[in-house]
Amino acid sequence: MAVLDNNKEGRTMIYPDGKTVSIGDLIWWNEGTKKGRVSLIVDTDEIRSEWGLDENGIFISANHMNSEMTSDVFYAEKDFEDEGIAKYD
């Protein structure tokens, strides 16, 4: 399961392998079968409310080759491990 670290400015989202989630990260998703980029980190009440979500997570831009990122797919942080969400190295 993804872990959140509390810090002064908010919460830092962590991949199951312990790496920090950042906007623009090239990642595996869809059970590790596709690549995409993290386009938005949903980790505050304000962002969750704006998107109508109840859980923390990330939006993924499915076209990782495009410099303009979109918010195509949402994964809740509690599902990162089951869905194969991992930073692509």
Side-chain angles (χ1 to χ4, degrees):
M1 173 183 275
V3 176
L4 292 175
D5 291 334
N6 291 322
N7 62 38
K8 192 174 181 180
E9 296 180 358
R11 297 159 53 148
T12 301
M13 200 166 295
I14 306 294
Y15 295 108
D17 66 1
K19 294 177 183 166
T20 301
V21 176
S22 299
I23 301 255
D25 282 353
L26 182 60
I27 63 167
W28 289 107
W29 64 283
N30 193 34
E31 298 182 351
T33 63
K34 296 186 179 193
K35 286 190 264 183
R37 291 208 179 267
V38 175
S39 60
L40 179 65
I41 300 171
V42 179
D43 61 352
T44 66
D45 290 339
E46 181 180 352
I47 297 172
R48 282 190 305 275
S49 177
E50 182 180 324
W51 286 91
L53 297 167
D54 296 326
E55 300 177 284
N56 288 337
I58 57 173
F59 275 98
I60 299 169
S61 180
N63 184 354
H64 68 280
M65 301 299 285
N66 192 346
S67 62
E68 183 177 320
M69 289 191 294
T70 56
S71 297
D72 300 319
V73 180
F74 175 79
Y75 279 102
E77 57 133 340
K78 67 178 182 62
D79 298 326
F80 282 7
E81 190 168 355
D82 288 341
E83 294 296 336
I85 305 293
K87 192 167 182 179
Y88 180 83
D89 290 322

